[in-house]
Amino acid sequence: MESLFADLIQILAATVRLSVPLVFTALAGLYAERSGIVDIGLEGKMLFSAFSAASVATVTGSPWLGLFAAILTGVLLSLLHGFASITQRGNQIISGVAINFIASGLTIQLGNAWFGQGGRTPQLPNSARFTEITLPFASEIASVPFLGPLYARLISGQNILVYLAFLAVPLTWWVLYRTRFGLRLRAVGENPGAVDTAGISVSWLRYRALICCGILAGFAGTYLSVAQSAGFIREMSAGKGYIALAALVFAKWKPLNVLLTCLLFGFLDAASIRLQGIILPGIGEVPVQLIQALPYILTVILLAGFIGKAIPPRASGVPYVKER
Amino acid sequence: MSAPLGTLPRWVNFGLLPLLNVLVAFAISGLVVLFIGESPVEAVQYMLSGALGSGEGIAFTLYYATNFIFTGLAVAVAFHGGLFNIGGEGQVYLGGLGVAMAALALDRYMPWYVTAVVATAAAFAFGALWALIPAWLQAKRGSHIVITTIMFNFIAAALMVYLLVNVIKQPGNMSPQTRLFEPGGQLPKLGWLMQWFGLDIGAAPFNVAFLIALVAAFVVWVLIWRTRFGYEIRTMGTNPTAAVYAGIPYVKTVVLTMIISGGLAGMMALNPVMGDMGKLQVEFPAGAGFVGIAVALMGRSHPVGIIIAAILFGVLYQGGAELSFWVPNITREMIILIQGLVILFAGALEHMFRPPLIALFAAKPKSRPASAGGAA
C-alpha cells in the first residue's frame, strides 16, 4: 500500500513535469487562435526558443538571460508568422509549416557552428539552470502521512517555471475574460469585421495576440532546455508542439480546460513510460505505442464530434481583408 | 489576394515569380552560410559537384527526386481541391506497409514486375485508406483536415513501431525490421538508363520507381486538366460554395481527392522500401512527406513544375550530404532550413513580390518587357 502510494506520487510528479511545456505551448496557441490566427508553428517556436535559452545560458551562465533570449526568439518568430499571415495575408498553415522547418534546420546548423557538438549545446551547470525550489517546511512535514509526501514531493521541489505555468492559466483566463484587450481579442477571432467597424485595428490586435503567443512559447522552450534538461538537444521538442495543438482543440479553446487537458496528456505520457512491459490483469500487455498515440486518437475522435463538439473560433485561419 | 491590381503575363506568373521567391530563399540560406563563417560560393560548388558531378551523384539525386515527385503530386492534388494534406508522412508509412506485405508474400514466387504491380496497388490502397478517414471526417463531420492529418502522422508512426516490433519483425533480429526481400520483391536499378548517357550508376539506389513516378505525374496531369472529375476538383478548390451550387457533390469530391492524394503519397514507399533497402524499417519516409509541401508550392501544383522542383530538391539532398561531408561546419540540416525558406517565400509570402512585378509588367501591357533581366 505504502509503495503504491509512493508510485502514485511519482507518476503524478512526472505528469506535472511532462505537462508544463504543453501548458505553456497550448496557452500560446490559445492567444493566437482566439485572435483568428491558426498557429501550427508552435512546435518550431518551442524548439527555437529552447535553443536560444540554452545557448544564451551557456554563454552567460544565467538562466534568466536564457529565458529572455527564448522569449525574444518566440516573439520574433511570431512576428514573422504575423507578417506572413496578417500583413501579407498568406496561408497561415503554410507559414506555420515554414516556421517549423526553419527552426528545425537553423537550430542544428547554428548549434553545430557555435558549439561544434552536432547541434547540441554544452551541458549546463546547475547555476545556469532553473533548478528545484524547496518550499518552506517541506522536509518538516514530509513524514506526515498522505499530505506530507504530497506536499514534499509533488508541490514542493519543482522549478520556478512549473509554478509560472500553473499561474499562467488563471492569468490567461483573466486577460481573455476580464480585460478589454481580451474581449477584443476574442471578438476579433469570431468576427473581425465587427471589431473593425468599431474602429479597432484588426491587424494590431492580432499582432499583439501573436506577441503573447511568442512570449509563452519562449517559456515552453526555456523549460525544455534550461529547466527540465541541462542543455539543448536537436529536435528536443519532439512533437510536443503538435500535442499542445491537440490539447488546445481538446480543451475547446478555453484556458482552464487547457490545463486539465495538458495534465491528462502529460499523465498519458507518464503512464506510457511506467507501463512499459507491465502486464495488466485481464488485459494483457498494453502496447506502449497505443498509449503514446492516445492523445492524437482522442483528439481525432473529439474533432469528429463523437465526444462533444470542438468548434474553433469562427474567423480562425481566414485573413482579414479590410473593406475598400 | 483580393482585388487584383492587374494581370501578369503567364511567364511572369508561372516563371519569374516562383523563381524570384526561390531565389530569395536561397539568398537567405547563403547569408546563413556566410554568418557561420563559410563561403556560400564554395558551398554551392560542393553541392552541385556532389549532386551532378558524377553518374553516381546524378543517380542519387534522381533517387531522392523520385520520393519528392510522389509526395509533391500528393500535396498538389489536394491543393487543387482546396485541401491541405499535411499527412503525407503517415500515408507514406502506411504505403510502406502495403509494399512490404506484397513483397513478403510474393517475392519467392513471382518475378519483380508482378510483385511491383501488386505492391503499387497495395501502396496506393494503404496510403489512400490512411487519407480516407481524415477526408471523411472533414467532409461529413466538419473536422479540420489539417489537424486530423497531423494527428494521423503520429498515429501512423506509433502504429508502425508497434507492428514492426510486435507483429512483423524478423525473428532472431534485434532491430525492428522485416526480413530482406528476395530479388522477386526488389525493384531493379536503372543502370541501363544511366548508361544511355554514358554515366555509371555506382552504388546509387536509382530504380524503376523513378519511371513509375513519371507515369504518375502524367496521370495526374491528365486527371486534373483533362477529365471531368479534375474539373470538379479544381472547381471545389476555387470556390466550394459555387461548386456545390453547380451540383458537384461535396462529400464525394473531397473523399476522392484525398484518396488520390493519400494513394500517391503511399506509392512513394515503393522507392525506398522495394527500390533501395529491400526491407521495411522504421522511419523510412525520412521527412519526404513534408518535402512534398515545398515541392508542390514551388512547382505551383503542376506536374511539370513538380518534377522540376523535385529534382531541385534531389540536388539539395544529395548535394547537401556531400557538402556536409566536405565542410563539417555545415550540417545536412541546412537542407531543412532551405526547405523552410522555400515554403515561406513560395507559399506563405507568395504575394509579396506581386505588387512590384505588377507595377513593372502590367503598366506597359503591349510593349516588349525589356527590363526582364533587371527584375530577376
Side-chain angles (χ1 to χ4, degrees):
Chain A
M1 189 63 217
E2 192 55 40
S3 80
L4 194 71
F5 183 61
D7 266 6
L8 185 71
I9 288 203
Q10 228 171 11
I11 289 194
L12 288 181
T15 299
V16 168
R17 277 197 299 277
L18 293 166
S19 312
V20 168
L22 300 182
V23 171
F24 278 129
T25 315
L27 288 178
L30 183 70
Y31 280 96
E33 302 217 341
R34 272 303 180 104
S35 81
I37 305 287
V38 172
D39 191 1
I40 67 168
L42 289 171
E43 173 84 6
K45 288 179 188 171
M46 175 162 39
L47 184 69
F48 213 145
S49 299
F51 174 71
S52 299
S55 301
V56 170
T58 301
V59 174
T60 64
S62 158
W64 292 101
L65 285 176
L67 175 64
F68 178 74
I71 289 175
L72 198 67
T73 305
V75 170
L76 284 176
L77 287 177
S78 278
L79 290 180
L80 176 65
H81 188 49
F83 176 70
S85 54
I86 302 169
T87 306
Q88 294 291 331
R89 296 190 206 100
N91 186 315
Q92 299 172 6
I93 308 277
I94 294 177
S95 167
V97 172
I99 285 172
N100 290 343
F101 270 80
I102 291 171
S104 176
L106 206 51
T107 50
I108 297 174
Q109 181 55 67
L110 289 179
N112 187 55
W114 288 344
F115 304 107
Q117 299 183 6
R120 306 172 71 113
T121 62
Q123 184 89 8
L124 286 170
N126 272 350
S127 61
R129 290 180 58 206
F130 289 112
T131 47
E132 288 83 39
I133 299 169
T134 308
L135 293 185
F137 310 115
S139 55
E140 282 86 342
I141 58 171
S143 53
V144 177
F146 190 70
L147 281 179
L150 209 62
Y151 180 74
R153 278 187 264 150
L154 185 62
I155 297 174
S156 169
Q158 309 284 1
N159 62 66
I160 182 140
L161 294 182
V162 176
Y163 302 114
L164 286 178
F166 282 86
L167 278 179
V169 176
L171 181 71
T172 299
W173 177 85
W174 181 78
V175 168
L176 282 181
Y177 292 94
R178 286 293 177 273
T179 67
R180 190 159 65 169
F181 168 64
L183 174 70
R184 288 172 174 178
L185 190 146
R186 283 182 294 129
V188 84
E190 296 292 336
N191 192 344
V195 174
D196 194 16
T197 313
I200 301 158
S201 164
V202 172
S203 302
W204 173 224
L205 250 177
R206 287 187 166 172
Y207 267 111
R208 277 183 288 169
L210 280 178
I211 290 171
C212 296
C213 163
I215 293 170
L216 284 161
F219 275 97
T222 310
Y223 179 80
L224 288 185
S225 66
V226 180
Q228 196 177 28
S229 18
F232 176 84
I233 306 163
R234 51 162 65 194
E235 297 295 336
M236 80 184 305
S237 52
K240 288 194 185 64
Y242 296 111
I243 292 233
L245 207 61
L248 187 58
V249 176
F250 208 74
K252 301 180 182 176
W253 295 270
K254 292 197 173 77
L256 299 178
N257 288 0
V258 162
L259 178 64
L260 297 177
T261 311
C262 290
L263 284 171
L264 170 70
F265 286 5
F267 175 75
L268 289 173
D269 205 359
S272 77
I273 299 166
R274 294 283 294 191
L275 283 177
Q276 210 127 22
I278 289 179
I279 290 152
L280 293 181
I283 307 173
E285 193 180 337
V286 181
V288 182
Q289 293 84 9
L290 179 67
I291 300 170
Q292 281 166 347
L294 212 52
Y296 306 110
I297 297 171
L298 284 175
T299 305
V300 170
I301 293 173
L302 177 87
L303 275 168
F306 292 123
I307 39 170
K309 191 106 181 96
I311 301 163
R314 206 174 335 150
S316 75
V318 190
Y320 180 66
V321 185
K322 213 172 160 65
E323 229 176 300
R324 307 205 168 99
Chain B
M1 186 94 164
S2 65
L5 305 161
T7 41
L8 288 168
R10 267 182 77 87
W11 71 272
V12 177
N13 205 8
F14 292 100
L16 185 60
L17 191 58
L19 191 69
L20 201 60
N21 289 325
V22 172
L23 280 180
V24 175
F26 281 114
I28 293 180
S29 315
L31 286 180
V32 172
V33 172
L34 206 60
F35 178 69
I36 59 171
E38 301 292 339
S39 154
V41 178
E42 210 176 287
V44 170
Q45 279 168 351
Y46 274 123
M47 269 202 161
L48 290 182
S49 68
L52 303 169
S54 67
E56 191 175 358
I58 294 175
F60 260 110
T61 297
L62 291 176
Y63 166 76
Y64 290 122
T66 307
N67 288 344
F68 306 149
I69 293 174
F70 280 122
T71 52
L73 289 172
V75 175
V77 167
F79 268 157
H80 279 295
L83 301 162
F84 198 143
N85 179 11
I86 204 164
E89 201 74 359
Q91 292 143 17
V92 174
Y93 252 132
L94 267 284
L97 190 63
V99 170
M101 282 168 66
L104 289 172
L106 297 175
D107 63 348
R108 287 179 178 149
Y109 316 105
M110 295 285 172
W112 70 267
Y113 46 85
V114 177
T115 314
V117 172
V118 179
T120 308
F124 188 93
F126 276 61
L129 178 77
W130 207 243
L132 169 70
I133 307 165
W136 185 83
L137 289 176
Q138 154 109 19
K140 277 294 231 199
R141 321 259 334 169
S143 33
H144 202 295
I145 202 149
V146 171
I147 307 281
T148 44
T149 47
I150 292 178
M151 299 301 135
F152 267 68
N153 283 341
F154 288 100
I155 299 172
L159 176 69
M160 288 301 282
V161 173
Y162 172 74
L163 288 177
L164 278 169
V165 171
N166 297 297
V167 183
I168 48 181
K169 196 181 85 160
Q170 181 187 21
N173 195 329
M174 282 307 287
S175 56
Q177 57 186 31
T178 63
R179 70 168 168 82
L180 207 60
F181 306 152
E182 303 289 324
Q186 296 194 16
L187 295 175
K189 302 269 176 73
L190 286 178
W192 54 270
L193 185 69
M194 298 294 288
Q195 260 164 10
W196 280 5
F197 301 95
L199 295 167
D200 178 28
I201 190 169
F206 177 48
N207 64 77
V208 170
F210 177 70
L211 302 179
I212 302 175
L214 294 183
V215 172
F218 178 71
V219 171
V220 165
W221 177 77
V222 171
L223 173 85
I224 298 288
W225 279 282
R226 288 292 179 273
T227 66
R228 182 197 166 108
F229 181 62
Y231 175 75
E232 292 182 348
I233 293 178
R234 283 181 291 134
T235 312
M236 181 73 73
T238 315
N239 189 338
T241 321
V244 172
Y245 192 67
I248 295 171
Y250 177 75
V251 172
K252 189 182 135 201
T253 312
V254 165
V255 167
L256 278 179
T257 307
M258 280 303 285
I259 281 181
I260 295 166
S261 173
L264 284 164
M267 280 166 72
M268 190 217 98
L270 283 172
N271 194 37
V273 175
M274 259 183 96
D276 178 17
M277 297 179 289
K279 63 190 170 192
L280 188 66
Q281 293 172 306
V282 282
E283 301 201 338
F284 72 87
F290 291 110
V291 183
I293 299 168
V295 168
L297 286 170
M298 202 167 137
R300 296 242 141 179
S301 297
H302 191 286
V304 175
I306 285 167
I307 292 173
I308 297 170
I311 291 175
L312 185 92
F313 272 98
V315 169
L316 282 177
Y317 265 68
Q318 169 58 16
E322 288 284 316
L323 173 63
S324 62
F325 180 74
W326 294 108
V327 188
N329 219 2
I330 299 178
T331 60
R332 285 202 74 166
E333 282 73 15
M334 194 71 196
I335 318 163
I336 300 178
L337 171 67
I338 298 176
Q339 271 171 55
L341 291 168
V342 167
I343 294 174
L344 182 70
F345 285 100
L349 294 174
E350 61 168 338
H351 302 308
M352 197 162 62
F353 298 112
R354 201 174 281 260
L357 282 180
I358 287 174
L360 204 62
F361 291 106
K364 34 189 172 167
K366 292 291 170 213
S367 68
R368 290 247 165 257
S371 56

